[in-house]
Amino acid sequence: MRGKAIKYGDNVDTDVIIPARYLNTSDPDELAGHCMEDLDPNFKAKAKPGDIMVAGRNFGCGSSREHAPIAIKASGISCVIAESFARIFYRNAINIGLPILECPDAAREINDGDEVDVDVTTGTIADITTGKTYKSQPFPEFMQQIMASDGLINYVKQRLEK
Amino acid sequence: MTQKILADHAGLKEVKAGQLISAKVDLVFGNDVTAPVAVKEFEKIGIDHVFDKDKVAIIPDHFTPNKDIKSAEQNKLIRDFARKMGLTNYFEVGRMGIEHALIPEKGLVVAGDVVIGADSHTCTYGALGAFSTGVGSTDMAAAMAIGETWFKVPEAQKFVLHGKPGKWVGGKDVILHIIGMIGVDGALYQSMEFTGDGLQYLSMDDRFSMANMAIEAGAKNGIFEVDDKTIAYIKEHSIKPYKVYLADDDAEYVAIYDIDLSQVKPTVAFPHLPSNARTIDEVGDVPLDQVVIGSCTNGRIEDLRVAASILKGHKVHPNVRLIVFPATQAIYLQALKEGLIEIFIEAGAAVSTPTCGPCLGGHMGILAKGERALATTNRNFVGRMGHPESEVYLAGPAIAAASAIAGRIAAPEEVA
């Protein structure tokens, strides 16, 4: 996957990713329409399909609302790279199939607007603009199985069918 | 403690930090924001029953009583699901409460349980010596189907509490002090264990309030060592068998903190992170438009007693709107019997039916641009209670009541 980096700071919380006033729906497109609006009112206009979100520490902290990764995914973001993720957001992203990579060096050094190429299976991140490449921690095998089944629900379905 | 509970629920003799396990859950639940997504995901699995209708709970509390047509539709969806599945534990408006106050009160969780809830403040039940943690809707859906979920076994930090807290210091002040010390990601992916002889001075309501905010330090769970108070609470509220897990003498911790409760001062977290903690003497002049007393953090009977003891005989400042929302119907009724509700109303407060509404900027107390609130809730992120340019300050019920009278953030001593 390849796209332009859209960069944010530390502790991007779920209330700014998708404010609670819009949680009376679970429609992905409707949620995408309000994604990031309290932190960056221009997000909707600038996010193009395939773009990559880059952020600092503790991305997705706060609420357990799965609406947060759903809104990011439905906005066309192909992948989120951060120094670290809040744990419920991390689970939710894997469960719904939003690729995320924990890579402190890449998260710090990639600039807003850089062209970035990501290979999720190998965990390789290439900043085309600066020419630097990074390697993120690979996912544990168990999570790879969930992702290979295309999310947790299909994984459970396959388990129940056995 | 956490590792032993997880090992037992995974059918293993022992587990190590970092290990991925599949564990049986004693309770899985969600609310009107998270359960609709979970129900839709559950239906994709293609089965017509949950794994155990006594171990799945649905509690509509965020946008209830229904705040608009969309919320009403979401609530209808989960109500229909609860009826179709024959769930024992669906709690309707008028008989409900804020989930994290209601679940312990109804005895649905006891020491030694593994509980997951599709709400981040599920970590509250660590106060009872249970392992409980927040998950998302898809996790809830999967666990409703198979009664198990996956965990990465967390490392642990130990907080040894000793000394006796001062008159106006409650669990909320202690946890804000701790989060101020370690930061909003200070316990990321880890377990926070609370122990020490200072526990004897912390009531169950203090402990619920502290465990509730473990997530605000990024923790997977917060868990208290079980003592006589815990056992008394469990016996009063539940008929379920419980199991007490003690930490081994040689248990490994990534950090150990020593907290002298006698040195903790009433504390306020400034916008826009719970870790921006300042002691009350460092607050300065902060005028307020709204004060909120309630929520899953501080809407329990003791919180209301503390607030009422300060508000009695006083009036809410003319510039302030004070909103009090007891966390459950039983707490509301108890407060009514004790005359607390009368004190609030005579002081000029609005008293609300249990709801999460104002805490997350849902309804029942939204802030306009530039407005400032002090709340006994748990989050003060940008836009949390309304307009993105409004502000939320977090504190315990004593500071909240004093501030409602003073019209600015105030210490209880200033008005009491």
Side-chain angles (χ1 to χ4, degrees), chain B residues 174-191:
Chain B
V174 179
I175 195 67
L176 287 177
H177 169 78
I178 290 173
I179 297 167
M181 192 171 76
I182 67 172
V184 287
D185 60 353
L188 194 61
Y189 308 128
Q190 296 172 344
S191 171

PDB file of all heavy atoms in Angstrom, chain B residues 174-191:
ATOM      1  N   VAL B 174      -6.509   9.968  44.757  1.00  0.00           N
ATOM      2  CA  VAL B 174      -5.359   9.054  44.736  1.00  0.00           C
ATOM      3  C   VAL B 174      -5.041   8.634  43.301  1.00  0.00           C
ATOM      4  O   VAL B 174      -3.883   8.660  42.870  1.00  0.00           O
ATOM      5  CB  VAL B 174      -5.621   7.807  45.620  1.00  0.00           C
ATOM      6  CG1 VAL B 174      -4.419   6.865  45.569  1.00  0.00           C
ATOM      7  CG2 VAL B 174      -5.927   8.205  47.058  1.00  0.00           C
ATOM      8  N   ILE B 175      -6.077   8.292  42.535  1.00  0.00           N
ATOM      9  CA  ILE B 175      -5.816   7.812  41.167  1.00  0.00           C
ATOM     10  C   ILE B 175      -5.367   8.964  40.262  1.00  0.00           C
ATOM     11  O   ILE B 175      -4.498   8.787  39.409  1.00  0.00           O
ATOM     12  CB  ILE B 175      -7.012   7.005  40.601  1.00  0.00           C
ATOM     13  CG1 ILE B 175      -6.594   6.216  39.359  1.00  0.00           C
ATOM     14  CG2 ILE B 175      -8.218   7.867  40.278  1.00  0.00           C
ATOM     15  CD1 ILE B 175      -5.619   5.099  39.598  1.00  0.00           C
ATOM     16  N   LEU B 176      -5.916  10.169  40.449  1.00  0.00           N
ATOM     17  CA  LEU B 176      -5.437  11.314  39.647  1.00  0.00           C
ATOM     18  C   LEU B 176      -3.972  11.608  39.977  1.00  0.00           C
ATOM     19  O   LEU B 176      -3.170  11.920  39.100  1.00  0.00           O
ATOM     20  CB  LEU B 176      -6.296  12.557  39.893  1.00  0.00           C
ATOM     21  CG  LEU B 176      -7.710  12.553  39.289  1.00  0.00           C
ATOM     22  CD1 LEU B 176      -8.461  13.828  39.673  1.00  0.00           C
ATOM     23  CD2 LEU B 176      -7.688  12.396  37.775  1.00  0.00           C
ATOM     24  N   HIS B 177      -3.633  11.474  41.258  1.00  0.00           N
ATOM     25  CA  HIS B 177      -2.244  11.655  41.688  1.00  0.00           C
ATOM     26  C   HIS B 177      -1.333  10.640  40.982  1.00  0.00           C
ATOM     27  O   HIS B 177      -0.274  10.986  40.459  1.00  0.00           O
ATOM     28  CB  HIS B 177      -2.167  11.489  43.213  1.00  0.00           C
ATOM     29  CG  HIS B 177      -0.786  11.390  43.768  1.00  0.00           C
ATOM     30  ND1 HIS B 177       0.017  12.500  43.941  1.00  0.00           N
ATOM     31  CD2 HIS B 177      -0.053  10.311  44.163  1.00  0.00           C
ATOM     32  CE1 HIS B 177       1.190  12.100  44.424  1.00  0.00           C
ATOM     33  NE2 HIS B 177       1.168  10.789  44.576  1.00  0.00           N
ATOM     34  N   ILE B 178      -1.785   9.381  40.948  1.00  0.00           N
ATOM     35  CA  ILE B 178      -0.978   8.320  40.327  1.00  0.00           C
ATOM     36  C   ILE B 178      -0.850   8.541  38.814  1.00  0.00           C
ATOM     37  O   ILE B 178       0.237   8.436  38.244  1.00  0.00           O
ATOM     38  CB  ILE B 178      -1.577   6.918  40.638  1.00  0.00           C
ATOM     39  CG1 ILE B 178      -1.359   6.597  42.118  1.00  0.00           C
ATOM     40  CG2 ILE B 178      -0.960   5.843  39.751  1.00  0.00           C
ATOM     41  CD1 ILE B 178      -2.038   5.319  42.597  1.00  0.00           C
ATOM     42  N   ILE B 179      -1.957   8.883  38.146  1.00  0.00           N
ATOM     43  CA  ILE B 179      -1.897   9.105  36.691  1.00  0.00           C
ATOM     44  C   ILE B 179      -1.014  10.321  36.381  1.00  0.00           C
ATOM     45  O   ILE B 179      -0.255  10.322  35.411  1.00  0.00           O
ATOM     46  CB  ILE B 179      -3.311   9.256  36.090  1.00  0.00           C
ATOM     47  CG1 ILE B 179      -4.114   7.965  36.288  1.00  0.00           C
ATOM     48  CG2 ILE B 179      -3.243   9.593  34.596  1.00  0.00           C
ATOM     49  CD1 ILE B 179      -5.596   8.105  36.023  1.00  0.00           C
ATOM     50  N   GLY B 180      -1.091  11.335  37.252  1.00  0.00           N
ATOM     51  CA  GLY B 180      -0.223  12.500  37.078  1.00  0.00           C
ATOM     52  C   GLY B 180       1.245  12.119  37.168  1.00  0.00           C
ATOM     53  O   GLY B 180       2.108  12.674  36.495  1.00  0.00           O
ATOM     54  N   MET B 181       1.507  11.117  38.001  1.00  0.00           N
ATOM     55  CA  MET B 181       2.874  10.662  38.238  1.00  0.00           C
ATOM     56  C   MET B 181       3.398   9.801  37.083  1.00  0.00           C
ATOM     57  O   MET B 181       4.521   9.977  36.631  1.00  0.00           O
ATOM     58  CB  MET B 181       2.846   9.845  39.536  1.00  0.00           C
ATOM     59  CG  MET B 181       4.146   9.493  40.166  1.00  0.00           C
ATOM     60  SD  MET B 181       3.795   8.774  41.805  1.00  0.00           S
ATOM     61  CE  MET B 181       3.247   7.143  41.362  1.00  0.00           C
ATOM     62  N   ILE B 182       2.564   8.874  36.568  1.00  0.00           N
ATOM     63  CA  ILE B 182       3.083   7.930  35.553  1.00  0.00           C
ATOM     64  C   ILE B 182       2.665   8.275  34.124  1.00  0.00           C
ATOM     65  O   ILE B 182       3.212   7.747  33.170  1.00  0.00           O
ATOM     66  CB  ILE B 182       2.696   6.457  35.878  1.00  0.00           C
ATOM     67  CG1 ILE B 182       1.189   6.226  35.774  1.00  0.00           C
ATOM     68  CG2 ILE B 182       3.206   6.056  37.258  1.00  0.00           C
ATOM     69  CD1 ILE B 182       0.784   4.756  35.903  1.00  0.00           C
ATOM     70  N   GLY B 183       1.663   9.161  33.955  1.00  0.00           N
ATOM     71  CA  GLY B 183       1.256   9.580  32.608  1.00  0.00           C
ATOM     72  C   GLY B 183       0.153   8.728  32.008  1.00  0.00           C
ATOM     73  O   GLY B 183      -0.146   7.637  32.499  1.00  0.00           O
ATOM     74  N   VAL B 184      -0.455   9.241  30.920  1.00  0.00           N
ATOM     75  CA  VAL B 184      -1.604   8.543  30.310  1.00  0.00           C
ATOM     76  C   VAL B 184      -1.212   7.267  29.574  1.00  0.00           C
ATOM     77  O   VAL B 184      -2.077   6.476  29.201  1.00  0.00           O
ATOM     78  CB  VAL B 184      -2.417   9.449  29.350  1.00  0.00           C
ATOM     79  CG1 VAL B 184      -3.234  10.464  30.122  1.00  0.00           C
ATOM     80  CG2 VAL B 184      -1.534  10.122  28.325  1.00  0.00           C
ATOM     81  N   ASP B 185       0.099   7.057  29.353  1.00  0.00           N
ATOM     82  CA  ASP B 185       0.506   5.752  28.826  1.00  0.00           C
ATOM     83  C   ASP B 185       1.517   5.093  29.769  1.00  0.00           C
ATOM     84  O   ASP B 185       2.286   4.229  29.369  1.00  0.00           O
ATOM     85  CB  ASP B 185       1.047   5.850  27.393  1.00  0.00           C
ATOM     86  CG  ASP B 185       2.277   6.756  27.280  1.00  0.00           C
ATOM     87  OD1 ASP B 185       2.632   7.404  28.290  1.00  0.00           O
ATOM     88  OD2 ASP B 185       2.875   6.809  26.194  1.00  0.00           O
ATOM     89  N   GLY B 186       1.458   5.517  31.045  1.00  0.00           N
ATOM     90  CA  GLY B 186       2.424   5.022  32.035  1.00  0.00           C
ATOM     91  C   GLY B 186       2.290   3.550  32.347  1.00  0.00           C
ATOM     92  O   GLY B 186       3.224   2.923  32.856  1.00  0.00           O
ATOM     93  N   ALA B 187       1.111   2.971  32.055  1.00  0.00           N
ATOM     94  CA  ALA B 187       0.922   1.543  32.327  1.00  0.00           C
ATOM     95  C   ALA B 187       0.417   0.834  31.060  1.00  0.00           C
ATOM     96  O   ALA B 187      -0.283  -0.166  31.130  1.00  0.00           O
ATOM     97  CB  ALA B 187      -0.062   1.348  33.481  1.00  0.00           C
ATOM     98  N   LEU B 188       0.793   1.381  29.890  1.00  0.00           N
ATOM     99  CA  LEU B 188       0.294   0.841  28.616  1.00  0.00           C
ATOM    100  C   LEU B 188       0.532  -0.665  28.493  1.00  0.00           C
ATOM    101  O   LEU B 188       1.654  -1.123  28.699  1.00  0.00           O
ATOM    102  CB  LEU B 188       0.974   1.584  27.454  1.00  0.00           C
ATOM    103  CG  LEU B 188       0.355   1.407  26.067  1.00  0.00           C
ATOM    104  CD1 LEU B 188      -1.073   1.915  26.038  1.00  0.00           C
ATOM    105  CD2 LEU B 188       1.187   2.134  25.017  1.00  0.00           C
ATOM    106  N   TYR B 189      -0.515  -1.402  28.141  1.00  0.00           N
ATOM    107  CA  TYR B 189      -0.527  -2.871  27.982  1.00  0.00           C
ATOM    108  C   TYR B 189      -0.300  -3.622  29.303  1.00  0.00           C
ATOM    109  O   TYR B 189      -0.211  -4.828  29.327  1.00  0.00           O
ATOM    110  CB  TYR B 189       0.526  -3.371  26.979  1.00  0.00           C
ATOM    111  CG  TYR B 189       0.517  -2.704  25.626  1.00  0.00           C
ATOM    112  CD1 TYR B 189       1.667  -2.169  25.065  1.00  0.00           C
ATOM    113  CD2 TYR B 189      -0.661  -2.624  24.880  1.00  0.00           C
ATOM    114  CE1 TYR B 189       1.660  -1.562  23.821  1.00  0.00           C
ATOM    115  CE2 TYR B 189      -0.686  -2.017  23.631  1.00  0.00           C
ATOM    116  CZ  TYR B 189       0.485  -1.492  23.110  1.00  0.00           C
ATOM    117  OH  TYR B 189       0.475  -0.886  21.886  1.00  0.00           O
ATOM    118  N   GLN B 190      -0.146  -2.885  30.417  1.00  0.00           N
ATOM    119  CA  GLN B 190       0.223  -3.546  31.683  1.00  0.00           C
ATOM    120  C   GLN B 190      -0.933  -3.575  32.681  1.00  0.00           C
ATOM    121  O   GLN B 190      -1.968  -2.958  32.482  1.00  0.00           O
ATOM    122  CB  GLN B 190       1.413  -2.812  32.309  1.00  0.00           C
ATOM    123  CG  GLN B 190       2.663  -2.900  31.434  1.00  0.00           C
ATOM    124  CD  GLN B 190       3.794  -2.028  31.914  1.00  0.00           C
ATOM    125  OE1 GLN B 190       3.582  -1.133  32.722  1.00  0.00           O
ATOM    126  NE2 GLN B 190       4.984  -2.278  31.406  1.00  0.00           N
ATOM    127  N   SER B 191      -0.700  -4.324  33.763  1.00  0.00           N
ATOM    128  CA  SER B 191      -1.669  -4.443  34.836  1.00  0.00           C
ATOM    129  C   SER B 191      -1.208  -3.555  35.996  1.00  0.00           C
ATOM    130  O   SER B 191      -0.024  -3.491  36.290  1.00  0.00           O
ATOM    131  CB  SER B 191      -1.709  -5.914  35.272  1.00  0.00           C
ATOM    132  OG  SER B 191      -2.481  -6.052  36.428  1.00  0.00           O
TER     133      SER B 191
END
